Amino acid sequence: MYKGKARAYTNIALIKYWGKRDEALILPMNNSLSLTLDAFYTETTATFAEEFTEDRFFLDGVQQSKAATKKISAFLDLIRTEANCSFSALINSQNFVPTAAGLASSASGLAALAGACNEALGLHLSSEELSRLARKGSGSACRSIYGGFAEWQQGTDATSYAVQVPSDHWENDLSMIFILINDQAKEVSSRDGMRRTVETSSFYAGWLTAAAKDLVTIKQAITDKDFTALGKVTEANALKMHATTLAAQPPFTYWSPESLRAMDCVRQIRQQGLPCYFTMDAGPNVKVLCQKRDEQAILQALQANFAKEQLILAHVGSGLTALPVNNPAPKTIKECRHV
Ligand code: DP6
């Protein structure tokens, strides 16, 4: 029996990944850049054993459906090939999310799974190899291997992974406030949303040109520790990503009236002299980027418009971490094979 455990934090893209050029390999159309955050994380234990007859996947103690397990199995197959191992696995994941607001993240989930398997099977993969592996589970997961800022370089199958963005620890001065917005509208997953946009949106070509420029701008902002430049390009990039969905066929949006109210609120707080900028992903929640020194004042201003329970404060999170288990990985895995 081979067992390993790992923790990964979620990340929020400041320059978004939006569109795949290879669906099967999960190769992106553009580079993206993110900040890893401490507020949400996943801890996963992977156990591989000869006596297991099939893969099983438990999330927060509940066994998941055949369909959900199938996705995990497809990812495990990649690991089994890498490790030359044919054992089935038991995957136990726990999502640490402050409230049940639909914030479960595929980024932290797949990164933690890659890390747990790496530990269980003693693969000793480098950060880049882990990132490349996590990418094949969910694109954004490749950035959660790192703490702080990470850039996913689009590359080819062999070279498409995230790398740490040097920042001289500037990320420690930053905060992100999540505004949780519950929305009854039917969700379009990020996977389906980006596919529809790539295939049908007349704005998509413009997005790609803009994203390349935004990436240059944000890297300069990080080098210069220029918060205004960082915030401006983060907000503008998110708006451009969301604009592409309006020109898709059929058109769709992740914005709810409450999202618009939150965006407006951020603009007003900014006009009152507190620097803050928003970003949004494939859902109605709004995330507010600010400097740590202003976080309490901004939280207070937001509390005038949103319930306390809707607001979650996050700071920079660390990279993928191996956690101790009772019976650790063997030195080699040459026995991990059916005869
Ligand atoms: C809007 O990584 O969830 O959050 O690769 O299909 O699993 P798949 O998609 P996913 O997409 C994330 C999209 C985004 C932007 C981002 O995180 O960069």
Side-chain angles (χ1 to χ4, degrees):
M1 183 175 289
Y2 304 100
K3 198 170 178 181
K5 187 171 182 184
R7 177 193 302 146
Y9 290 86
T10 199
N11 71 79
I12 294 296
L14 307 183
I15 303 300
K16 306 294 182 191
Y17 146 52
W18 195 242
K20 295 180 182 67
R21 65 191 162 86
D22 189 313
E23 291 266 335
L25 293 172
I26 310 200
L27 294 175
M29 290 287 261
N30 64 284
N31 289 22
S32 54
L33 190 145
S34 62
L35 184 60
T36 298
L37 296 164
D38 64 356
F40 315 111
Y41 60 97
T42 306
E43 285 185 3
T44 294
T45 305
T47 311
F48 292 81
E50 188 162 21
E51 60 269 29
F52 292 165
T53 51
E54 57 179 8
D55 292 330
R56 281 167 300 153
F57 172 38
F58 287 77
L59 183 58
D60 297 327
V62 180
Q63 182 155 17
Q64 299 298 293
S65 67
K66 278 214 152 60
T69 308
K70 217 171 141 187
K71 279 189 200 157
I72 297 292
S73 284
F75 183 74
L76 291 172
D77 285 343
L78 300 172
I79 309 257
R80 285 187 275 250
T81 305
E82 182 98 27
N84 196 12
C85 169
S86 64
F87 294 177
S88 290
L90 168 63
I91 304 300
N92 248 307
S93 279
Q94 212 172 354
N95 272 332
F96 291 82
V97 182
T99 67
L103 277 166
S105 159
S106 64
S108 59
L110 269 298
L113 179 60
C117 293
N118 183 43
E119 290 304 309
L121 299 175
L123 290 173
H124 306 293
L125 297 178
S126 66
S127 294
E128 285 169 4
E129 288 166 327
L130 278 164
S131 175
R132 181 175 171 267
L133 190 62
R135 178 201 98 216
K136 298 189 187 196
S138 181
S140 55
C142 77
R143 301 182 308 234
S144 273
I145 303 301
Y146 306 91
F149 294 109
E151 180 188 353
W152 176 12
Q153 302 175 331
Q154 51 175 316
T156 60
D157 184 23
T159 59
S160 185
Y161 48 73
V163 295
Q164 186 86 67
V165 176
S167 60
D168 189 28
H169 306 296
W170 184 45
E171 63 276 8
N172 292 327
D173 297 347
L174 303 177
S175 309
M176 196 171 265
I177 301 167
F178 287 70
I179 307 177
L180 305 181
I181 287 161
N182 283 319
D183 183 37
Q184 302 310 315
K186 198 167 162 273
E187 266 185 48
V188 182
S189 70
S190 47
R191 198 159 283 196
D192 293 347
M194 69 175 84
R195 182 188 302 119
R196 194 191 301 174
T197 308
V198 172
E199 286 172 0
T200 66
S201 176
S202 56
F203 292 173
Y204 194 72
W207 156 255
L208 286 181
T209 314
K213 286 185 188 152
D214 289 349
L215 189 79
V216 175
T217 307
I218 204 162
K219 285 164 95 170
Q220 191 60 49
I222 294 170
T223 304
D224 297 345
K225 301 188 185 178
D226 180 342
F227 181 72
T228 306
L230 183 87
K232 271 189 179 165
V233 72
T234 294
E235 189 171 296
N237 183 266
L239 288 169
K240 281 177 263 190
M241 178 206 121
H242 285 271
T244 64
T245 70
L246 299 178
Q249 209 44 256
F252 65 105
T253 182
Y254 292 109
W255 298 359
S256 74
E258 277 290 276
S259 314
L260 287 165
R261 198 166 73 82
M263 290 186 235
D264 223 39
C265 199
V266 171
R267 288 190 197 100
Q268 276 177 29
I269 296 172
R270 195 158 72 217
Q271 272 158 19
Q272 285 157 17
L274 287 169
C276 57
Y277 298 85
F278 62 78
T279 186
M280 282 183 71
D281 294 291
N285 297 321
V286 173
K287 294 116 190 180
V288 186
L289 184 64
C290 66
Q291 294 166 100
K292 224 182 220 170
R293 61 168 185 245
D294 297 326
E295 69 182 27
Q296 289 308 323
I298 292 169
L299 263 175
Q300 224 170 11
L302 288 170
Q303 275 171 21
N305 293 275
F306 298 95
K308 252 189 180 164
E309 308 78 65
Q310 282 181 277
L311 303 172
I312 295 170
L313 177 62
H315 297 123
V316 69
S318 37
L320 180 69
T321 316
L323 299 172
V325 287
N326 304 337
N327 44 349
K331 287 274 177 287
T332 71
I333 53 141
K334 60 181 186 299
E335 319 92 290
C336 179
R337 232 165 279 155
H338 285 297
V339 281

